[in-house]
Amino acid sequence: DDEGDVPALARTSNMNADLGMIAHIFSDKTGTLTRNIMEFKKCACAGKIYEKGATLRGKVSQPSVERDLVEIMAVCHTVVPDEDGYQAESPDEEALVKGAAELGMKFTARSTEGVEVDGKRYLVLATIPFNSTRKRMSALVQGPDGKARILCKGADNIMFGLTGKDSFKRFAGGRPALDDCLQQFSRVGLRTLVLGRRDVSRSEKDKFLKAWRAAETATEDRKGKLAEAAALIERDFEIVGATAIEDRLQDGVPETIHELAKAEIKLWVLTGDKVETAINIAKSAKLLTDDMFLVKLPAEGATKGPEGDWGLGAQLTALEAVVQRAATPDPAATVSWSSLQESTLREPLDDDPQRTPASLASDHLALVVEGATAMETILGNEELEQRFLKLANVCKAVVACRVSPAQKRLIVGLVRRKDTTRPVTLAIGDGANDVGMIQEAHIGVGISGKEGRQAVNNSDFAIGQFRFLKPLLLKHGRRNYRRMSKVIVYSFFKNIVLTFVLFYYQADCGWSGTSFYEAWVYSGFNFFLAFTPLAFGWFDVDTSAETVRKYPRLYAAGLHRMDLNVTNMAYATLEAVGASLLIYFITRQVYWRPQNVWTHRGKDGDLWVFGTAVFVGMVNAMLLRAALLVDSWNKYHIYFFFMQFLALYAFVIFMSEVWPTSSVDWFLDYDYYGVAFHSFELGVYWLLTFILVPVACAALQLLVVGVHLEFFPNVNDIGRELDHGHVDGESLEHSRKDNTFVPLRSRYSLHGLVDRCLGRAAPARPDLVTQDSIRSVSDSLGPGRAAQIGLEATPESGFDYSHAADQSFHAPSPVSASGVI
């Protein structure tokens, strides 16, 4: 990050490949999607909404409810002034203090006794700090007039629970009017806080301070005693108004979210903001688009009900029926949810049916869930958890509002442990309240922001801004997954070849257990082939970063385990058996038939000569195979391959040509002496080990690869062709009109054969729940019934929340994620 001079940091070395398999991303909002640079914009007071300006400043200059609101902004905080401005625990506090200063009540000094605002002293008797559970902050102060007051600011749902009978008498229109103001702020993406205060009698003040100081010095259950003491005074607040703070998006957030969605990665935004604020920001960030329908849990106007579940059980049942009708070709057909799941289940994209994506999916559904009601009810209820996950898997994006840090962690754990698709999860955040979900996810990413380094210190990877998540996953994650998969399959292949060659030899020698290779040479097999896996494990690039950036669908390689799965390992085993047959029997036939070609200077070739020819030919064949697996050659590949040849022949010569002495006879084999000298003088030896055996194995490899590329290509093969300019890529873009797509794999490939043997249908990824089908079902329900089950169209954004109007990202219509690049 050039702006903040923050380099990316990998805090672990064993999760690089996992970055290429991410299915769900859980993101905080403030400081992660937004800049965390707050600015006070508006306030609601006395039933009116005030912009920051002269009108409000004039009201503050004289005794009024507006002055009381700004007084809370200037006094109730933990900000410390310094030479450069202010030092604050959170950007919200700093924004409110600066806003109060602009309105004529400037905070200028803080001491151990109190604060100074506009030349007046306020004695701070006690400060009850903010935390993620309380969601409010209070300060007991004694003002210049000598009166003691409790000042408080916090989330509206928390503050409204601390009000009394006449708490809204100073706000014209009462609570309904304040709710309307808060809704207006939320619709334009502003963060809101409700401010209240209450005069405190001397006896109440003394009682609270005694309890508070006793709780502060308590050695047992200190947290509980502090909460009990706070409850003595945080009550019956007189609501004076609400503030609205703006926090702009980071650069590149809409583009990043759009590209991650095209890569079929589901994004969850977990925030403590109001529903309307979260929806507006998600829409500005292109997480929610104009062609999406929102599913809200619980539905607006829902009550807790006799079962205490906010009607979620009935709502989920109704929503399941809606999705069923939208996915069924005949909307009038009545099919149970379970039978629909069985009949329309997308076939596995690898060999494990548990890793299959959800049976139904749509680019036109988004889930909005509230933490204080819906998630509180769902979490811990096994049935509701499974039904919630099923619905979430259908939706393109999920926005969770009003969630606490503990709920964030539980939501990540719910998807990680109970989603039957067994997805790899990633959580990203920037503050201490995100540590729980960062630690709960498979991979945690911390952003070096303005809320300290707690998130970074508890993460696996650290980046400067959210936009760097795109290259971290689509470039580095995909490359590391493909490299690691190639190394594992290649290592498995060469050891299968080694084992089966020994098996054939034992059949020839009557299972006598006779050694085929010299012991030390045999032990060096994996050493002689150690550098080549390192070469393509470190440096190989199958597709350029530009091609992957243009076609995020190529991320499917890791998302659907296309390179490393049971079928590919079985595939490698069959090919390894074929290669081992060629290696052993070609050399055997040449060795047994024309015996004279193995004779030199009166010496015949013995078992060690035959074994060395087989061994060296096998190593050369494996080196040639590795060379054919390399997608991008560079000087390091050449150097590593040269080192492999040098190590092989130097070791064989050393083992067979150095005369045993007392100092090295523990290491050298008398029977092996002179084998290399004899073998290297034979033309047939070089013909076998350098040409016949390696070329035969390479021919088998090229035949398999050629048939695969010609008849059964997958998206990664097409990506490589795109990278080399062999195709233009136009036919690879999904068409919503004719529903054409490039399948991940051909149904006639080996993977398709395995599927058919197991009784599974050919892989297909249709976009089952389309925008038109959802609209048809919604229209048939009518506005009233649709609202009752929480289904509604995406509301229009009332505010351009992009970081700059001239740089606002206007994403094209999102491409369906069903099986295309």
Side-chain angles (χ1 to χ4, degrees):
D1 179 12
D2 294 333
E3 181 180 344
D5 192 25
V6 178
L9 176 65
R11 296 171 51 84
T12 181
S13 60
N14 62 350
M15 292 186 175
N16 296 336
D18 291 348
L19 289 171
M21 300 185 287
I22 302 301
H24 293 262
I25 294 177
F26 299 87
S27 174
D28 178 41
K29 182 188 72 67
T30 304
T32 303
L33 300 180
T34 62
R35 294 184 175 186
N36 212 6
I37 301 177
M38 312 291 186
E39 181 181 358
F40 173 74
K41 283 291 186 181
K42 302 177 182 180
C43 68
C45 199
K48 300 177 182 178
I49 293 179
Y50 291 96
E51 299 278 351
K52 182 176 62 176
T55 302
L56 182 57
R57 192 178 300 112
K59 295 277 188 180
V60 174
S61 62
Q62 54 191 345
S64 61
V65 66
E66 289 84 0
R67 181 177 178 85
D68 292 341
L69 181 140
V70 178
E71 182 183 52
I72 297 174
M73 293 167 54
V75 177
C76 183
H77 56 77
T78 57
V79 176
V80 177
D82 61 13
E83 297 178 355
D84 299 323
Y86 298 109
Q87 291 288 337
E89 291 183 355
S90 71
D92 300 77
E93 282 202 327
E94 184 178 357
L96 291 178
V97 170
K98 287 183 177 179
E102 293 177 6
L103 295 173
M105 298 192 72
K106 185 176 182 180
F107 165 63
T108 55
R110 175 180 292 277
S111 66
T112 56
E113 297 180 349
V115 298
E116 183 174 317
V117 175
D118 199 22
K120 298 178 181 179
R121 295 282 300 173
Y122 290 80
L123 181 63
V124 179
L125 304 176
T127 299
I128 309 175
F130 173 91
N131 63 45
S132 57
T133 302
R134 286 169 38 81
K135 295 184 179 180
R136 64 186 182 276
M137 177 206 169
S138 301
L140 178 61
V141 302
Q142 184 173 319
D145 58 0
K147 292 183 178 180
R149 296 186 180 90
I150 179 71
L151 311 179
C152 186
K153 60 185 180 184
D156 57 292
N157 60 329
I158 299 297
M159 293 296 293
F160 291 160
L162 301 175
T163 56
K165 182 178 179 180
D166 298 322
S167 293
F168 294 92
K169 64 182 181 181
R170 301 186 68 187
F171 198 94
R175 178 171 173 176
L178 180 56
D179 282 335
D180 183 65
C181 293
L182 292 172
Q183 292 283 350
Q184 292 185 50
F185 293 155
S186 298
R187 280 195 291 268
V188 295
L190 300 178
R191 296 165 57 86
T192 59
L193 287 174
V194 172
L195 280 62
R197 64 175 223 167
R198 180 172 62 87
D199 290 342
V200 178
S201 65
R202 183 183 184 120
S203 60
E204 183 182 7
K205 177 189 72 173
D206 293 341
K207 180 181 178 181
F208 163 75
L209 289 176
K210 181 179 179 180
W212 182 254
R213 287 163 185 164
E216 284 185 314
T217 57
T219 57
E220 295 182 1
D221 192 25
R222 181 174 180 273
K223 186 176 180 180
K225 292 178 179 179
L226 286 172
E228 292 175 2
L232 295 175
I233 201 166
E234 288 182 328
R235 58 181 178 81
D236 299 332
F237 283 118
E238 178 185 71
I239 302 300
V240 296
T243 60
I245 300 173
E246 181 188 61
D247 183 14
R248 294 183 179 274
L249 286 178
Q250 295 179 12
D251 295 343
V253 166
E255 300 96 319
T256 300
I257 290 177
H258 180 63
E259 295 300 311
L260 293 176
K262 289 175 67 176
E264 287 191 70
I265 301 174
K266 188 186 297 293
L267 182 64
W268 299 57
V269 174
L270 312 180
T271 175
D273 286 339
K274 290 172 62 67
V275 173
E276 293 77 9
T277 303
I279 290 176
N280 185 276
I281 293 171
K283 191 171 178 61
S284 300
K286 306 303 178 185
L287 179 64
L288 303 180
T289 56
D290 293 334
D291 61 350
M292 282 185 175
F293 285 79
L294 296 187
V295 176
K296 290 186 176 181
L297 295 180
E300 291 188 8
T303 59
K304 197 166 186 179
E307 297 183 5
D309 65 348
W310 298 91
L312 289 175
Q315 185 183 359
L316 287 171
T317 300
L319 288 170
E320 289 168 356
V322 167
V323 176
Q324 166 190 313
R325 290 181 59 188
T328 307
D330 180 7
T334 55
V335 186
S336 69
W337 178 259
S338 59
S339 65
L340 175 73
Q341 187 177 22
E342 294 172 1
S343 62
T344 59
L345 184 66
R346 289 179 177 173
E347 287 304 311
L349 302 176
D350 68 352
D351 308 285
D352 188 349
Q354 296 301 320
R355 286 186 178 153
T356 306
S359 58
L360 302 176
S362 175
D363 293 337
H364 311 291
L365 280 175
L367 180 60
V368 178
V369 56
E370 195 193 16
T373 54
M375 292 314 304
E376 190 73 26
T377 303
I378 291 171
L379 294 172
N381 186 313
E382 188 71 26
E383 179 186 356
L384 290 181
E385 285 179 347
Q386 291 300 324
R387 297 175 70 183
F388 169 73
L389 287 175
K390 187 184 296 184
L391 179 61
N393 278 332
V394 174
C395 298
K396 184 71 172 178
V398 181
V399 179
C401 318
R402 294 293 196 192
V403 289
S404 65
Q407 287 179 326
K408 290 182 181 181
R409 179 182 61 81
L410 291 173
I411 291 172
V412 176
L414 175 64
V415 175
R416 175 176 178 175
R417 294 182 176 87
K418 297 189 178 181
D419 193 328
T420 56
T421 62
R422 290 190 291 166
V424 178
T425 58
L426 180 148
I428 179 170
D430 72 313
N433 59 342
D434 302 317
V435 169
M437 72 171 183
I438 287 175
Q439 292 179 332
E440 185 69 24
H442 291 93
I443 296 179
V445 177
I447 290 183
S448 303
K450 299 180 179 297
E451 296 189 18
R453 293 184 58 84
Q454 293 96 327
V456 171
N457 293 338
N458 287 276
S459 66
D460 302 302
F461 300 90
I463 55 179
Q465 293 189 35
F466 183 84
R467 61 189 171 96
F468 297 122
L469 193 61
K470 181 172 71 173
L472 181 67
L473 299 185
L474 302 189
K475 178 183 176 182
H476 300 290
R478 179 182 178 276
R479 282 184 183 175
N480 277 290
Y481 169 77
R482 301 219 70 196
R483 289 168 176 174
M484 184 65 70
S485 300
K486 187 180 292 186
V487 169
I488 291 173
V489 175
Y490 173 76
S491 300
F492 178 77
F493 179 94
K494 64 183 177 65
N495 283 286
I496 290 293
V497 170
L498 176 65
T499 302
F500 271 83
V501 167
L502 288 174
F503 176 80
Y504 307 142
Y505 170 71
Q506 288 301 316
D508 272 344
C509 71
W511 312 101
S512 63
T514 304
S515 296
F516 191 31
Y517 313 121
E518 197 281 325
W520 284 98
V521 174
Y522 173 60
S523 300
F525 177 76
N526 284 304
F527 171 73
F528 302 141
L529 296 172
F531 291 165
T532 46
L534 293 178
F536 51 68
W538 286 345
F539 307 112
D540 200 32
V541 178
D542 71 312
T543 307
S544 68
E546 178 62 24
T547 300
V548 176
R549 183 199 63 78
K550 188 175 181 181
Y551 299 100
R553 187 68 183 84
L554 293 173
Y555 189 75
L559 183 61
H560 301 301
R561 318 296 196 274
M562 297 179 66
D563 292 336
L564 190 60
N565 53 61
V566 176
T567 302
N568 276 359
M569 299 302 279
Y571 204 159
T573 300
L574 291 176
E575 191 178 349
V577 171
S580 64
L581 288 169
L582 292 173
I583 292 169
Y584 181 76
F585 285 102
I586 288 178
T587 309
R588 177 179 178 271
Q589 289 302 106
V590 172
Y591 180 77
W592 280 10
R593 299 304 179 188
Q595 283 286 341
N596 60 315
V597 300
W598 293 93
T599 302
H600 181 69
R601 296 182 182 179
K603 297 179 180 180
D604 290 333
D606 61 359
L607 176 61
W608 291 125
V609 174
F610 177 41
T612 300
V614 172
F615 183 85
V616 174
M618 178 170 55
V619 173
N620 286 338
M622 296 303 99
L623 288 173
L624 183 56
R625 178 180 182 82
L628 294 175
L629 289 175
V630 174
D631 289 306
S632 58
W633 282 88
N634 55 41
K635 61 181 181 180
Y636 301 106
H637 287 94
I638 297 173
Y639 173 76
F640 277 26
F641 274 84
F642 174 76
M643 290 296 295
Q644 292 282 231
F645 279 111
L646 183 63
L648 171 64
Y649 285 97
F651 190 76
V652 170
I653 291 173
F654 174 79
M655 288 297 302
S656 66
E657 298 303 321
V658 175
W659 184 260
T661 64
S662 58
S663 59
V664 296
D665 59 2
W666 61 271
F667 179 74
L668 299 178
D669 192 332
Y670 288 96
D671 295 334
Y672 200 66
Y673 180 74
V675 170
F677 181 78
H678 177 81
S679 300
F680 292 170
E681 288 187 324
L682 300 173
V684 68
Y685 170 85
W686 296 103
L687 177 66
L688 270 173
T689 60
F690 248 75
I691 300 178
L692 288 181
V693 169
V695 170
C697 293
L700 174 63
Q701 180 182 358
L702 292 174
L703 175 64
V704 172
V705 172
V707 171
H708 168 76
L709 292 178
E710 185 65 27
F711 300 104
F712 320 117
N714 58 39
V715 292
N716 295 302
D717 303 320
I718 297 173
R720 285 196 296 271
E721 292 188 1
L722 281 169
D723 204 37
H724 291 83
H726 299 317
V727 292
D728 57 17
E730 293 182 1
S731 61
L732 301 181
E733 290 293 349
H734 181 78
S735 171
R736 292 181 181 274
K737 183 177 180 180
D738 55 15
N739 201 39
T740 59
F741 63 92
V742 174
L744 292 174
R745 293 193 179 99
S746 168
R747 67 185 301 269
Y748 300 104
S749 65
L750 184 63
H751 298 82
L753 176 62
V754 172
D755 287 339
R756 291 194 296 277
C757 291
L758 296 177
R760 301 194 295 242
R765 297 177 53 79
D767 191 2
L768 294 173
V769 187
T770 65
Q771 181 183 15
D772 291 338
S773 65
I774 300 171
R775 183 182 292 111
S776 175
V777 174
S778 178
D779 292 343
S780 68
L781 290 172
R785 178 57 178 158
Q788 287 179 8
I789 64 173
L791 180 66
E792 62 180 59
T794 307
E796 292 295 330
S797 176
F799 178 68
D800 182 6
Y801 201 72
S802 301
H803 56 275
D806 57 342
Q807 297 178 2
S808 178
F809 172 73
H810 302 286
S813 298
V815 179
S816 170
S818 50
V820 299
I821 292 181

